[in-house]
Amino acid sequence: MSTFTQTGFHSSSHSRGVVDELGWRIDTSYLALPDALWTRAVPEPVASPSEVIWNVSLAQQLGLNMDRLAPDQRAAFAVGHHWPTAATPLAQAYAGHQFGHLAVLGDGRAVLMGEHLTPEGQRVDVQWKGSGRTRYSRRGDGRAALGPMLREYVISEAMHALGVPTSRSLCVALTGEPVLRERALPGAVLTRVAASHLRVGTVQWAAMQNDATVLPRLIEYALWRHPAPDLAADNAALQLLQSVMQRQIELVVHWARVGFVHGVMNTDNMTLSGETLDYGPCAFIDIYNPKAVFSSIDTQGRYAFDQQAGIAQWNIARLAEALIPAIHADQELAVQQAVAVLEAFPSLYRQAWLNMMRGKLGWVHDHEDDEQLIQEGMSCFEALQLDYTATFAHLRLAVNRGLMATDWQWSRMRNAALPAIESPALERAHAWLQAWQSRCMHEAQPDQAKALMASSNPWRIPRNHAVEAALAQAQEGQLQALHDLLDALQKPYEPWHGFDPLPLELDATALPPLMAYQTFCGT
């Protein structure tokens, strides 16, 4: 495969490497791709932009000096009224399987400002989300409401702190205009930062074009943006397929580690970079339930917590189908080669999941019966209706403090409003606890085990009811709860000190309330 150099994808050599007075260094390589993959677009003007929240830490990491601007000037950027002079905004075209049905999509309510080069040389996309209609808007208004944009800000930043690959949020600004959904809501724009916005659906769209040069060009570009190990160095399409599959496996395993339910794993939301993208109907499980579904439109449980690995495999199969023409000119041979890659998914995922669960349970070494012991533990957690995050946090505490099984209180990991635990379930869970403790005692490296648990089990996650409370207050113009929540989530693996009304402690009184929680897409 001939590899594109950086120069091959530069769109404007005069701007390359030039840093403006605010720290922007724009070089939008996407413009060098075929026209079928993008169209020029600019954000639609809004009535009265005003800043809601600005991510100072992320801005510093990006090398930006926008803190020198007044809030109204930053707000003008945040809604897309102004952008760096070197930028050439555009909207990306892509397709996507949405709940299993293929659709022609594209950035219907987003505009890519461009690509920014950080001081470390990392290339990132900067995109306005909720910035108005584009060529791909179909019947949509291209706008977004404040609540969903703040949700994406909170959850994406929490995921970053939790160590989960994710897009990030630079800022949210009000537009001063209502957005009509079930009712009139305050309009807002989110500025999103990502390694790229290349999706499985982007490849699907490229494969649908009559121009046979589009797909190979996109494949080379994707490998340039997201370099892959030489798994299939002589075949770019197979190399892309293998690398995206590995990244998606790692991502879904991370989701399982922190109890995250994405809620809308359509192929247009699955990135080639392996970052989490689109925080619409997402949520975190409280009481452990492998069938947990929160999205109001996922009535069949397609994207339930325990279905995410299977859906990731299904999405990778759709990527493979799109790549067939580029894998080999002989379609039958191309299919055979793609299938050979796909067949490795179950074993790769199983091994990655086992390694993750060993980390959560404090096991450094592999034992033959680990999977059986893990599955038994999860079955007990489900039967006792234990809180997912609190239970693993308590196991972490037990290892740190040398607590014995006799000191264990299951009630501290389950809501007091739940029915009492029946004796057989309790006895089974206690037997598992003793087996787990015995397994831990065979670890020859206790300090390493503690470190594994410390990096795998957070003390805090963005609890659903805390997020909802903060968003509700923010929509009334009261931002203190939002800032308190973000502050608490910055270092989720470290103990929390001092008073806080959010559910940050591990005792039963701080566990989330029992409630039927439902999320909505926000479009």
Side-chain angles (χ1 to χ4, degrees), residues 394 397-408 436-437:
H394 271 283
L397 277 175
V399 169
N400 288 345
R401 298 176 181 176
L403 298 179
M404 302 299 290
T406 53
D407 302 316
W408 197 259
W436 166 76
Q437 190 172 64

Side-chain angles (χ1 to χ4, degrees), residues 78-208:
V79 299
H81 280 189
H82 303 295
W83 55 82
T85 55
T88 306
L90 59 93
Q92 295 179 330
Y94 47 86
H97 273 90
Q98 299 191 316
F99 287 86
H101 303 285
L102 185 62
V104 175
L105 304 168
D107 285 334
R109 60 167 183 163
V111 170
L112 182 70
M113 184 194 82
E115 298 154 28
H116 168 67
L117 302 179
T118 71
E120 289 73 32
Q122 180 186 9
R123 180 181 295 268
V124 296
D125 282 3
V126 181
Q127 182 197 70
W128 294 295
K129 183 176 179 179
S131 55
R133 289 180 56 81
T134 73
R135 175 181 173 182
Y136 311 114
S137 295
R138 296 179 290 175
R139 296 185 300 275
D141 60 12
R143 292 300 184 187
L146 177 62
M149 296 304 94
L150 286 178
R151 176 188 296 277
E152 176 154 346
Y153 188 107
V154 170
I155 305 299
S156 65
E157 289 307 296
M159 293 281 272
H160 173 71
L162 287 164
V164 181
T166 180
S167 62
R168 297 193 61 190
S169 300
L170 181 60
C171 54
V172 174
L174 285 164
T175 63
E177 300 174 352
V179 172
L180 299 179
R181 297 297 182 255
E182 292 82 4
R183 57 189 175 89
L185 300 168
V189 177
L190 169 82
T191 302
R192 180 162 66 189
V193 177
S196 84
H197 285 81
L198 294 170
R199 315 150 191 263
V200 170
T202 312
V203 181
Q204 291 178 292
W205 174 248
M208 294 165 64

